[in-house]
Amino acid sequence: MIQLCGCSGCHISLLDLHEKLLEVLPNLEIVYGPIVADPKEIPEGIDVFLVEGGIRNEHDEHLIHEIREKSKIVIAWGTCAAYGGIPGLGNLYKKEELLNYVYSTDSTENKGEIPSEEIPPLEEYVKPIKDFIKVDYTIPGCPPTPKMIADAIIALLNGEEPKLPTKIVCDECSRKKENVFPETFKRTYEGKPDPERCLFEQGYTCLGFATRAGCGAKCPSAGVPCRGCFGKTDRSLDLGANAANVLANAGEASLKIPDKVALLNRFTLPDALINRKAK
Amino acid sequence: MGKIVIEPLSRLEGHGKVTITLDEDGKPKDVKLHITALRGFEQFVIGRPAEEVPRIVPRICGICQTAHHLASVKAIDSAWGVEIPEVAKKLRELMLVGNMIHSHALHFYFLAAPDFVLGVDADPAIRNVVGVIDKAPEVAKQAIALRKFGQSIVEAVGGKAIHPVTGIPGGQSKPLTEEERDALLKEVDQMIEYGKNGVELIKQINEKFMDQIKTLGVIDTYYLGLVKDGKHNFYDDTLRFLSPDGKEKVEFKPEEYLDYIGEYVVPYNYVKHPYYKKVGYPEGVYRVGPLAMLNVCDEMETPLAEEYRKEFLEIFGFPANQSLAYHHARLIELLSACERAKTLLEDNSITSDDIKTDVEPKAGNGVGVVYAPRGVLIHNYETDDNGIVIKANMIVATTHNVPTMEKAIQQAAQEIFK
Ligand code: SF4
Ligand code: SF4
Ligand code: SF4
């Protein structure tokens, strides 16, 4: 397992199997995994490689090819690897813009100097790993639930294919739906939502209807709208486009939603049909 | 003249490498720590509605995501001039100590302990958490239980154990139910017990490794921590710098951070080098995290941890300047976090649903500070009239430590190649 342009949350989610780790781990041999183990070279002949994170710099790109060559099965582990994830929001800016900004914030002393020695240069844009290599399976989620990771590992140990939920988050959500369409949209800090009713029907921009199930509708259960972190379902081509279609039914009101591009593509911009800012 | 490159650095989060340039005699001439990844969060939160930012920035780190979530939402409350209900503050603090318990347990038992339990000379192939489970199953069991407890707190209060979501401008989006509270309370005494065992364990280990502790990575630096009325605090209040000799303490409020902290861009590192402005760069580099927190505070806020803090200073002196004493300090904080969780869970108001106040977005500038598991964490945003972020600055915990980590590695390399 490895972390490319990710946050290590997918690794931590595996550890969140807690005592079940004691059942899963002894059946595995971790031959490479810098976050938890010391071997420095990627060995040959790996059965399964779990890849966390997308491709942000030249080193990531180099590694993903090496990983493919040395592994039988490569898994896009988590939404960053599968669709680019949150770091993909960087695609809304040009690489130079991003670097210039980061190295000239208020607390920076020598503003505008950009580091470039002995560190891998950034690629123009963030991309999911499947833009570079053939990916055998995907386990989406930011992060995927511990159970999804364990199920996939166990399936592979048994020589089966890992399976993903095919439904949408709304199907797992216990909030009551009355099939009404909101006339205006609210931002999350506005008012106190009714704890029983569908957030979308109350005017909050919940994306559960466009998002793959699997998390157990965690965000709406905690009183905040889904932001689409599990990505699209098998049947849809593009999460953002799908969601935009539904929101557009509200007509004028939907035009007033702020920051639509980053809302509808919060976790999936690098994999969207339009995946970067037009120059 | 040769060069040694150590890459990837293992058993830590993030991406790093160390380069050691050797002179003709094979002695280290130049030792550099490079952080080799950059994602650019400060840029890509610009243009986002501020209330969405606490849902974006947790992805800076999958281990201390809760700290980012909370520093972020505190910064927005402050930019919009909101005072949140007391219960919401308590819930946020509880969420943070939950994250602290998980992260400190992870760091010590899963990432550092393989060296102690299996020995630094053990085969790298087995020197990992699986090795610990094999060799010291009881230790592994307690480690797993502590992590699980911490993550359960974050899930119950924050909605998700990794990348929580309930912090919104004005307060919290979800109350803690009585059932959730009771389930956590049932476990808490056991966790305090495990926390104590942790400190006892590190004391035993320290005795074995005292030679290395007192020679490797020993450096004099400034220290930065968070205190409230002089006491160690995870969640709130006042930043405090301590001078390397332990004589001078300088306090300031989060919103004044730009007067005290600067960041220097170095050519070989994506991460900037922060320093204490009144001293300048590079003399003013400082350490954050458990060691710094224990040095900086006058006392711990919980009783058992306070006993252990006194003992800690007896062992290591004041200020403790040994990088390897971080583990000991971390385990004292782990115990303190368990004690603090108990106090918060026993507070009857914690299950109240008075958790959110009405908010109006406005143009403003706000700073949010918490103590993340690796050290002080600062988020600062400016918003426009509609509450859209127009400017952002973040100084994350590990960043503060990068220059001093480099210093400690330089010192260790000198020792090892002697
Ligand atoms: S998918 Fe989410 S949890 Fe996994 S690496 Fe990316 S940001 Fe982190
Ligand atoms: S709250 Fe969101 S996830 Fe739940 S039913 Fe409504 S739209 Fe779907
Ligand atoms: S509700 Fe949506 S955003 Fe929240 S965890 Fe599930 S898929 Fe991700």
Side-chain angles (χ1 to χ4, degrees):
Chain A
M1 54 181 109
I2 198 168
Q3 176 195 24
L4 300 178
C5 182
C7 76
S8 52
C10 294
H11 279 71
I12 302 305
S13 192
L14 170 63
L15 298 182
D16 280 357
L17 284 171
H18 302 304
E19 61 278 347
K20 288 199 204 76
L21 272 180
L22 302 176
E23 291 161 34
V24 176
L25 283 183
N27 295 316
L28 309 173
E29 190 191 347
I30 303 175
V31 290
Y32 182 81
I35 291 187
V36 291
D38 287 332
K40 307 268 180 220
E41 295 281 328
I42 302 177
E44 302 281 342
I46 291 175
D47 291 323
V48 181
F49 212 120
L50 293 168
V51 181
E52 176 197 286
I55 308 296
R56 169 83 264 191
N57 64 42
E58 289 180 6
H59 190 53
D60 299 333
E61 185 181 344
H62 165 82
L63 280 169
I64 198 67
H65 289 294
E66 186 180 345
I67 287 166
R68 181 69 272 182
E69 272 164 33
K70 292 179 169 175
S71 330
K72 291 192 198 115
I73 294 173
V74 175
I75 299 187
W77 183 22
T79 288
C80 287
Y83 312 114
I86 288 279
L89 288 175
N91 291 7
L92 293 171
Y93 312 83
K94 281 191 228 142
K95 180 174 86 177
E96 292 73 32
E97 261 180 291
L98 186 133
L99 286 167
N100 286 332
Y101 192 83
V102 169
Y103 296 104
S104 58
T105 60
D106 282 349
S107 52
T108 312
E109 185 55 42
N110 44 346
K111 289 191 176 60
E113 278 182 37
I114 298 188
S116 60
E117 293 169 20
E118 303 219 39
I119 43 176
L122 298 188
E123 302 271 2
E124 226 23 74
Y125 295 103
V126 178
K127 291 180 181 159
I129 63 172
K130 69 167 154 46
D131 284 13
F132 297 85
I133 58 157
K134 177 180 165 286
V135 170
D136 300 293
Y137 304 108
T138 296
I139 316 176
C142 180
T145 61
K147 183 170 183 309
M148 279 172 82
I149 304 172
D151 286 351
I153 294 175
I154 290 164
L156 290 169
L157 284 174
N158 295 333
E160 292 159 14
E161 294 205 355
K163 283 196 191 62
L164 290 181
T166 51
K167 295 188 162 164
I168 53 173
V169 173
C170 295
D171 292 324
E172 296 185 314
C173 178
S174 61
R175 288 177 174 266
K176 281 195 212 67
K177 280 143 274 199
E178 291 155 6
N179 288 318
V180 294
F181 209 82
E183 276 161 23
T184 55
F185 288 102
K186 295 193 205 99
R187 288 166 63 179
T188 21
Y189 60 79
E190 288 180 60
K192 280 186 192 166
D194 180 326
E196 309 275 312
R197 287 179 51 217
C198 166
L199 289 170
F200 181 68
E201 295 184 357
Q202 297 182 62
Y204 296 96
T205 51
C206 187
L207 301 183
F209 52 75
T211 306
R212 189 191 290 273
C215 69
K218 281 210 179 86
C219 302
S221 312
V224 293
C226 171
R227 285 291 170 251
C229 85
F230 272 64
K232 64 188 178 63
T233 59
D234 294 332
R235 268 174 299 173
S236 84
L237 199 57
D238 189 293
L239 191 158
N242 234 8
N245 241 336
V246 176
L247 292 175
N249 291 329
E252 274 290 298
S254 62
L255 294 176
K256 294 203 187 107
I257 297 173
D259 195 31
K260 288 177 272 300
V261 174
L263 171 69
L264 300 173
N265 301 287
R266 175 66 52 79
F267 290 89
T268 51
L269 185 62
D271 192 46
L273 295 174
I274 300 170
N275 58 9
R276 66 188 66 165
K277 190 167 186 142
K279 291 217 177 101
Chain B
M1 210 169 78
K3 194 167 193 172
I4 302 173
V5 179
I6 306 172
E7 188 183 23
L9 293 182
S10 47
R11 289 193 272 129
L12 50 70
E13 73 269 38
H15 298 267
K17 77 174 174 189
V18 170
T19 52
I20 307 176
T21 313
L22 302 172
D23 64 14
E24 288 75 18
D25 306 330
K27 295 251 164 56
K29 203 172 75 174
D30 190 23
V31 181
K32 288 200 181 100
L33 170 66
H34 316 262
I35 301 298
T36 54
L38 174 81
R39 291 164 295 166
F41 278 84
E42 284 158 323
Q43 168 71 81
F44 62 68
V45 299
I46 306 291
R48 312 285 82 80
E51 71 278 10
E52 298 293 329
V53 177
R55 302 197 62 177
I56 294 174
V57 292
R59 276 77 186 182
I60 291 173
C61 169
I63 299 176
C64 63
Q65 3 72 16
T66 309
H68 286 284
H69 181 63
L70 295 171
S72 174
V73 74
K74 278 173 95 173
I76 300 158
D77 285 337
S78 138
W80 293 358
V82 200
E83 189 56 41
I84 67 166
E86 278 306 307
V87 182
K89 277 190 207 161
K90 288 176 192 165
L91 284 172
R92 288 182 183 178
E93 184 183 351
L94 180 60
M95 209 198 300
L96 188 68
V97 298
N99 182 241
M100 197 64 62
I101 295 169
H102 128 75
S103 177
H104 276 8
L106 172 85
H107 195 111
F108 178 71
Y109 295 99
F110 287 57
L111 303 182
D115 291 339
F116 303 129
V117 172
L118 301 154
V120 277
D121 301 326
D123 178 0
I126 58 154
R127 200 171 56 202
N128 58 44
V129 55
V130 185
V132 175
I133 293 173
D134 269 355
K135 186 106 183 269
E138 182 54 31
V139 172
K141 191 191 110 193
Q142 299 193 9
I144 287 173
L146 280 163
R147 272 205 71 245
K148 184 175 181 182
F149 180 67
Q151 292 292 71
S152 314
I153 292 181
V154 180
E155 177 140 30
V157 183
K160 288 175 75 188
I162 298 172
H163 306 322
V165 296
T166 52
I168 52 176
Q172 288 288 106
S173 70
K174 167 194 171 299
L176 182 68
T177 65
E178 289 187 6
E179 299 81 74
E180 286 165 337
R181 191 264 321 266
D182 293 344
L184 293 168
L185 254 187
K186 229 173 73 197
E187 306 260 343
V188 76
D189 285 319
Q190 181 79 73
M191 296 305 136
I192 293 176
E193 209 47 46
Y194 288 170
K196 279 204 289 199
N197 296 347
V199 187
E200 292 301 331
L201 176 68
I202 190 71
K203 277 162 58 184
Q204 283 170 25
I205 292 172
N206 281 346
E207 275 168 26
K208 263 207 311 218
F209 292 92
M210 207 37 102
D211 282 350
Q212 282 100 316
I213 295 175
K214 299 224 154 146
T215 51
L216 290 184
V218 178
I219 48 172
D220 284 328
T221 62
Y222 281 82
Y223 297 96
L224 174 68
L226 197 60
V227 291
K228 191 169 189 172
D229 305 323
K231 286 188 188 171
H232 180 285
N233 199 291
F234 291 112
Y235 182 69
D236 234 351
D237 224 59
T238 306
L239 290 153
R240 187 190 261 186
F241 267 117
L242 179 76
S243 61
D245 60 7
K247 293 206 178 102
E248 195 195 353
K249 288 175 183 168
V250 177
E251 291 194 348
F252 57 102
K253 287 290 175 187
E255 52 282 10
E256 302 168 312
Y257 81 102
L258 285 174
D259 296 334
Y260 292 86
I261 298 173
E263 290 184 288
Y264 207 86
V265 183
V266 289
Y268 55 87
N269 205 326
Y270 273 128
V271 160
K272 291 173 263 190
H273 280 191
Y275 64 98
Y276 177 26
K277 264 194 176 165
K278 311 267 149 158
V279 180
Y281 182 80
E283 295 74 26
V285 297
Y286 55 85
R287 286 189 272 186
V288 297
L291 181 71
M293 287 289 279
L294 261 68
N295 279 333
V296 159
C297 71
D298 304 328
E299 59 182 298
M300 302 297 291
E301 60 175 353
T302 60
L304 292 170
E306 172 58 12
E307 289 306 306
Y308 281 120
R309 184 192 69 94
K310 289 188 192 135
E311 196 186 59
F312 174 84
L313 292 183
E314 275 164 31
I315 301 174
F316 297 103
F318 174 78
N321 61 1
Q322 305 84 348
S323 298
L324 287 168
Y326 261 99
H327 297 306
H328 192 145
R330 183 170 291 117
L331 287 161
I332 296 175
E333 280 191 345
L334 172 62
L335 171 61
S336 183
C338 294
E339 289 183 277
R340 186 69 193 146
K342 181 171 175 175
T343 312
L344 287 162
L345 288 166
E346 279 177 344
D347 184 325
N348 278 329
S349 70
I350 198 86
T351 51
S352 147
D353 57 9
D354 176 22
I355 53 172
K356 167 140 191 302
T357 183
D358 286 339
V359 230
E360 280 295 329
K362 60 172 194 186
N365 189 320
V367 179
V369 167
V370 297
Y371 170 50
R374 301 292 167 276
V376 168
L377 167 66
I378 304 169
H379 281 242
N380 177 198
Y381 318 121
E382 195 173 319
T383 58
D384 69 8
D385 295 335
N386 291 319
I388 308 291
V389 176
I390 51 173
K391 204 167 165 189
N393 191 20
M394 303 163 199
I395 310 181
V396 313
T398 314
T399 300
H400 301 280
N401 273 335
V402 163
T404 40
M405 268 164 21
E406 181 174 86
K407 239 179 131 175
I409 297 169
Q410 282 164 356
Q411 191 273 351
Q414 304 288 359
E415 273 300 311
I416 290 167
F417 285 89
K418 209 158 53 183

